[in-house]
Short mmCIF file of all heavy atoms in Angstrom, two decimals:
data_model
loop_
_atom_site.label_atom_id
_atom_site.label_comp_id
_atom_site.label_asym_id
_atom_site.label_seq_id
_atom_site.Cartn_x
_atom_site.Cartn_y
_atom_site.Cartn_z
N GLY A 16 12.45 8.97 1.65
CA GLY A 16 11.26 9.36 2.42
C GLY A 16 10.09 9.56 1.50
O GLY A 16 10.22 10.21 0.46
N VAL A 17 8.95 8.98 1.84
CA VAL A 17 7.71 9.18 1.08
C VAL A 17 6.78 10.01 1.95
O VAL A 17 6.44 9.61 3.07
CB VAL A 17 7.05 7.85 0.70
CG1 VAL A 17 5.77 8.08 -0.08
CG2 VAL A 17 8.02 6.98 -0.11
N VAL A 18 6.38 11.18 1.45
CA VAL A 18 5.60 12.11 2.25
C VAL A 18 4.34 12.52 1.48
O VAL A 18 4.30 12.50 0.27
CB VAL A 18 6.46 13.36 2.58
CG1 VAL A 18 6.79 14.16 1.34
CG2 VAL A 18 5.79 14.26 3.63
N GLY A 19 3.30 12.86 2.25
CA GLY A 19 2.05 13.29 1.64
C GLY A 19 0.95 13.21 2.66
O GLY A 19 1.10 12.66 3.75
N GLU A 20 -0.22 13.76 2.29
CA GLU A 20 -1.37 13.74 3.20
C GLU A 20 -1.93 12.34 3.32
O GLU A 20 -1.64 11.45 2.53
CB GLU A 20 -2.49 14.66 2.66
CG GLU A 20 -2.15 16.14 2.65
CD GLU A 20 -3.20 16.93 1.87
OE1 GLU A 20 -3.08 17.04 0.65
OE2 GLU A 20 -4.15 17.43 2.51
N SER A 21 -2.77 12.15 4.34
CA SER A 21 -3.50 10.89 4.47
C SER A 21 -4.35 10.67 3.22
O SER A 21 -4.99 11.61 2.73
CB SER A 21 -4.40 10.94 5.71
OG SER A 21 -3.65 11.04 6.88
N GLY A 22 -4.35 9.46 2.72
CA GLY A 22 -5.11 9.15 1.52
C GLY A 22 -4.34 9.30 0.23
O GLY A 22 -4.88 9.07 -0.87
N SER A 23 -3.04 9.61 0.34
CA SER A 23 -2.25 9.81 -0.89
C SER A 23 -1.66 8.50 -1.42
O SER A 23 -1.15 8.47 -2.54
CB SER A 23 -1.12 10.81 -0.64
OG SER A 23 -0.28 10.40 0.41
N GLY A 24 -1.69 7.43 -0.62
CA GLY A 24 -1.21 6.12 -1.10
C GLY A 24 0.09 5.69 -0.50
O GLY A 24 0.67 4.67 -0.93
N LYS A 25 0.58 6.36 0.53
CA LYS A 25 1.88 6.05 1.14
C LYS A 25 1.91 4.64 1.76
O LYS A 25 2.79 3.82 1.43
CB LYS A 25 2.25 7.08 2.21
CG LYS A 25 2.22 8.51 1.74
CD LYS A 25 2.69 9.46 2.81
CE LYS A 25 1.97 9.37 4.13
NZ LYS A 25 0.53 9.73 4.02
N SER A 26 0.97 4.35 2.64
CA SER A 26 0.98 3.07 3.33
C SER A 26 0.69 1.92 2.38
O SER A 26 1.26 0.82 2.54
CB SER A 26 -0.03 3.07 4.49
OG SER A 26 0.37 3.98 5.49
N VAL A 27 -0.15 2.12 1.41
CA VAL A 27 -0.42 1.06 0.43
C VAL A 27 0.82 0.76 -0.38
O VAL A 27 1.08 -0.39 -0.76
CB VAL A 27 -1.61 1.46 -0.51
CG1 VAL A 27 -1.83 0.41 -1.58
CG2 VAL A 27 -2.88 1.61 0.32
N THR A 28 1.64 1.77 -0.66
CA THR A 28 2.92 1.56 -1.34
C THR A 28 3.81 0.62 -0.52
O THR A 28 4.39 -0.34 -1.04
CB THR A 28 3.63 2.90 -1.56
OG1 THR A 28 2.84 3.71 -2.42
CG2 THR A 28 4.99 2.68 -2.21
N ALA A 29 3.89 0.89 0.81
CA ALA A 29 4.72 0.04 1.66
C ALA A 29 4.18 -1.39 1.71
O ALA A 29 4.96 -2.36 1.61
CB ALA A 29 4.76 0.64 3.07
N LEU A 30 2.89 -1.54 1.86
CA LEU A 30 2.29 -2.89 1.90
C LEU A 30 2.48 -3.61 0.59
O LEU A 30 2.63 -4.84 0.55
CB LEU A 30 0.82 -2.78 2.26
CG LEU A 30 0.48 -2.28 3.67
CD1 LEU A 30 -1.00 -2.08 3.85
CD2 LEU A 30 1.02 -3.25 4.72
N SER A 31 2.48 -2.87 -0.52
CA SER A 31 2.68 -3.48 -1.82
C SER A 31 4.09 -4.03 -1.95
O SER A 31 4.30 -5.15 -2.47
CB SER A 31 2.43 -2.46 -2.95
OG SER A 31 1.10 -1.99 -2.90
N VAL A 32 5.08 -3.29 -1.47
CA VAL A 32 6.47 -3.74 -1.51
C VAL A 32 6.63 -5.03 -0.69
O VAL A 32 7.31 -5.97 -1.09
CB VAL A 32 7.44 -2.67 -1.00
CG1 VAL A 32 8.84 -3.21 -0.86
CG2 VAL A 32 7.44 -1.47 -1.96
N MET A 33 5.92 -5.11 0.43
CA MET A 33 5.98 -6.29 1.28
C MET A 33 5.07 -7.42 0.80
O MET A 33 5.05 -8.49 1.39
CB MET A 33 5.55 -5.91 2.72
CG MET A 33 6.52 -4.99 3.43
SD MET A 33 8.04 -5.83 3.91
CE MET A 33 7.50 -6.82 5.30
N ARG A 34 4.29 -7.16 -0.26
CA ARG A 34 3.31 -8.10 -0.77
C ARG A 34 2.31 -8.48 0.33
O ARG A 34 1.97 -9.67 0.51
CB ARG A 34 4.01 -9.34 -1.33
CG ARG A 34 4.75 -9.18 -2.65
CD ARG A 34 3.84 -9.38 -3.83
NE ARG A 34 3.11 -10.63 -3.73
CZ ARG A 34 3.59 -11.84 -4.09
NH1 ARG A 34 4.81 -11.90 -4.60
NH2 ARG A 34 2.86 -12.92 -3.95
N LEU A 35 1.83 -7.48 1.02
CA LEU A 35 0.86 -7.70 2.11
C LEU A 35 -0.51 -7.07 1.79
O LEU A 35 -1.29 -6.82 2.69
CB LEU A 35 1.39 -7.11 3.43
CG LEU A 35 2.54 -7.86 4.07
CD1 LEU A 35 3.09 -7.10 5.29
CD2 LEU A 35 2.15 -9.29 4.46
N VAL A 36 -0.76 -6.84 0.51
CA VAL A 36 -2.06 -6.29 0.12
C VAL A 36 -3.07 -7.45 0.07
O VAL A 36 -2.92 -8.39 -0.68
CB VAL A 36 -1.96 -5.61 -1.26
CG1 VAL A 36 -3.34 -5.11 -1.70
CG2 VAL A 36 -0.97 -4.47 -1.21
N ASP A 37 -4.10 -7.33 0.92
CA ASP A 37 -5.11 -8.39 1.00
C ASP A 37 -6.23 -8.16 0.00
O ASP A 37 -6.45 -7.03 -0.44
CB ASP A 37 -5.70 -8.48 2.42
CG ASP A 37 -4.65 -8.92 3.45
OD1 ASP A 37 -3.78 -9.72 3.07
OD2 ASP A 37 -4.72 -8.45 4.59
N ARG A 38 -6.94 -9.21 -0.33
CA ARG A 38 -8.14 -9.06 -1.14
C ARG A 38 -9.14 -8.17 -0.41
O ARG A 38 -9.22 -8.26 0.82
CB ARG A 38 -8.75 -10.41 -1.43
CG ARG A 38 -7.87 -11.29 -2.34
CD ARG A 38 -8.58 -12.60 -2.66
NE ARG A 38 -7.76 -13.43 -3.52
CZ ARG A 38 -7.71 -13.33 -4.86
NH1 ARG A 38 -8.44 -12.43 -5.46
NH2 ARG A 38 -6.94 -14.13 -5.56
N PRO A 39 -9.86 -7.31 -1.11
CA PRO A 39 -10.03 -7.25 -2.57
C PRO A 39 -8.96 -6.41 -3.29
O PRO A 39 -9.16 -6.01 -4.42
CB PRO A 39 -11.40 -6.58 -2.70
CG PRO A 39 -11.46 -5.64 -1.53
CD PRO A 39 -10.73 -6.35 -0.42
N GLY A 40 -7.82 -6.18 -2.63
CA GLY A 40 -6.75 -5.43 -3.29
C GLY A 40 -5.89 -6.33 -4.14
O GLY A 40 -5.78 -7.54 -3.89
N ARG A 41 -5.26 -5.75 -5.16
CA ARG A 41 -4.33 -6.52 -6.00
C ARG A 41 -3.31 -5.58 -6.61
O ARG A 41 -3.60 -4.42 -6.91
CB ARG A 41 -5.08 -7.27 -7.10
CG ARG A 41 -5.84 -6.39 -8.07
CD ARG A 41 -6.79 -7.20 -8.95
NE ARG A 41 -7.60 -6.35 -9.79
CZ ARG A 41 -7.33 -6.10 -11.07
NH1 ARG A 41 -6.28 -6.64 -11.65
NH2 ARG A 41 -8.12 -5.31 -11.77
#
């Protein structure tokens, strides 16, 4: 379980594992 307030990076971590980070992200 990954827990934390909004803005802590939880969802971006999930999208990174799925390789779904769109530009301008990398």
Side-chain angles (χ1 to χ4, degrees):
V17 180
V18 66
E20 293 170 273
S21 297
S23 58
K25 306 184 304 297
S26 293
V27 175
T28 297
L30 293 174
S31 299
V32 172
M33 293 289 286
R34 287 273 309 276
L35 289 174
V36 177
D37 293 327
R38 293 183 180 277
R41 61 192 175 99

